[in-house]
Amino acid sequence: TIGNNTTNFDMEIAGKVGPVIIKGGFYGTEGLLMAKGPSGDMTSLVVTGDFAGSLNVEGRISSITIGTAGVNGQPGTGDYTGSIVIQNNRSGTPTGLDTFKLYGAMLGGTIDIAGNVGTIDVAKDLMNLTRDLVIHGNLSTLKVGTDPKKNAASVLGSRVTVEGNLGTATISGAINVDGGLLVKGNIGTLTVAADKFTAGNVLSGMVESRGTLGMLLVRGGGIDGHVVSGKGITSVTETG
């Protein structure tokens, strides 16, 4: 546990790492948290402020939590502009990450995860990444714009690539022209619903499922983007 902000803090451990807690921001281009080797798992990571450093886990990690939930009617805080790589190098371990929770916005950086992922929950925007957010496996749940106290529209403005199946995706805001989803397997349900700050169309980016798209729900705005399914769409519902 570190009790305040860190800048260019470097922690590299061979083998399993227990819970890591930084009670503040994680800053610096040379800031690195690393679990190395064939048993290089990390139990969990909590950073209560901004995340602008690098996390490299050669095994798997159970949970990553960045930022702090809002109090007294205020939105959550803690933004992401860093780098996360989960290599999931242990055979017979299909899940690389169980849960990722960001209380602020994803405003840059990269995320690359080998194996399956349970939930990715971004409270505000997911945008301006250096390259796609990539899951080399299945993703059960994707949520963007979940902060009930946010004070601006939420946007999926970068592309999320899932090399397996995507179970459920819920975008509370909009997918802009720079954002989208590329799923090389099936999509179960995709919901894009305007929040109270969203104006105009809510699906302007590219959504591609190379398998089936089970259900597409669009609420509070129109579609002027592209929706492609290699093996068909079961149902589409659009409400103003």
Side-chain angles (χ1 to χ4, degrees), residues 119-156:
T119 298
I120 293 177
D121 183 341
V122 178
K124 299 178 185 176
D125 299 318
L126 193 166
M127 61 192 305
N128 297 331
L129 297 183
T130 305
R131 56 179 183 270
D132 291 5
L133 188 162
V134 180
I135 309 298
H136 301 277
N138 301 323
L139 173 59
S140 296
T141 305
L142 172 66
K143 300 177 182 179
V144 176
T146 55
D147 189 341
K149 303 299 183 182
K150 62 188 178 182
N151 51 22
S154 292
V155 173
L156 173 58

Side-chain angles (χ1 to χ4, degrees), residues 68-77 103 124 147-151:
T68 304
V71 295
N72 299 324
Q74 297 300 307
T77 58
Y103 284 102
K124 299 178 185 176
D147 189 341
K149 303 299 183 182
K150 62 188 178 182
N151 51 22

Side-chain angles (χ1 to χ4, degrees), residues 56-114:
N56 191 327
V57 178
E58 294 189 1
R60 71 177 305 277
I61 182 169
S62 178
S63 65
I64 299 171
T65 304
I66 299 168
T68 304
V71 295
N72 299 324
Q74 297 300 307
T77 58
D79 295 332
Y80 178 93
T81 55
S83 170
I84 291 176
V85 176
I86 311 298
Q87 299 183 33
N88 195 26
N89 62 4
R90 298 177 65 180
S91 62
T93 307
T95 300
L97 171 66
D98 294 318
T99 60
F100 176 93
K101 173 63 179 179
L102 174 62
Y103 284 102
M106 195 172 291
L107 300 175
T110 61
I111 295 181
D112 192 289
I113 302 172

